[in-house]
Amino acid sequence: MKLILTQEVTGLGAAGDVVEVKDGYGRNYLVPRGVAIRWTRGAEKTVDSITAARTSRAVRDRDHAVQIKAKLEANPVALKVRAGESGRLFGAVTSADIASALTDASGEPVDKRTIVVGNPIKALGNHEVSVKLDDEVSATVALNVIPA
């Protein structure tokens, strides 16, 4: 089955890619979740719009990615969250929370899909988070989770 991806799928491709998958995987998993649409000649025009949107969100080039990396790694980022008396959080810190804190701290927009958190952050303290800015450029950010 030939599909056009509308979102990035790990191990399969990025948004706008035309991929060939098994019928069951496409019909039962990708299409119902809105991650992909069926490929047709008419849908080929949507590939151009998806690709244009992806490139506008992406970092301009490797030099720009290195500049953003330097800004992100320069200072630890403080993130205020609600926590109990023992230091445990009410829930976990999400990648969207981290992305907004990084955007505020660096002044550069950070997409939540580029953030890689090893283990869920459920306690106060210092944590390390990785941000994949480019295929070859990744920043490790010191994240200080403090009570609000």
Side-chain angles (χ1 to χ4, degrees):
M1 170 182 271
K2 211 170 184 184
L3 296 174
I4 301 170
L5 297 177
T6 57
Q7 297 175 9
E8 182 176 347
V9 178
T10 306
L12 193 57
D17 290 348
V18 178
V19 294
E20 185 77 29
V21 296
K22 301 251 183 183
D23 290 344
Y25 182 53
R27 187 174 47 244
N28 297 327
Y29 184 78
L30 296 174
V31 174
R33 285 179 171 73
V35 177
I37 57 174
R38 292 184 186 271
W39 181 88
T40 60
R41 288 186 190 204
E44 192 70 34
K45 293 177 185 173
T46 62
V47 171
D48 297 332
S49 65
I50 291 171
T51 307
R54 180 178 69 184
T55 56
S56 69
R57 276 195 318 264
V59 178
R60 290 191 294 262
D61 56 5
R62 186 170 294 119
D63 294 334
H64 187 237
V66 171
Q67 291 173 356
I68 294 173
K69 177 182 178 179
K71 284 183 183 179
L72 291 176
E73 291 180 343
N75 297 319
V77 177
L79 180 64
K80 292 184 178 183
V81 294
R82 289 184 46 213
E85 302 252 341
S86 64
R88 289 195 41 89
L89 304 183
F90 298 126
V93 176
T94 64
S95 57
D97 297 335
I98 297 169
S100 66
L102 292 176
T103 301
D104 293 341
S106 69
E108 296 284 340
V110 177
D111 190 11
K112 69 179 183 178
R113 293 176 288 236
T114 61
I115 296 174
V116 179
V117 180
N119 293 325
I121 300 173
K122 295 185 177 185
L124 297 175
N126 294 325
H127 302 277
E128 285 193 352
V129 176
S130 178
V131 180
K132 186 176 180 186
L133 299 169
D134 191 43
D135 290 337
E136 299 168 3
V137 179
S138 182
T140 302
V141 180
L143 185 68
N144 187 10
V145 180
I146 55 176

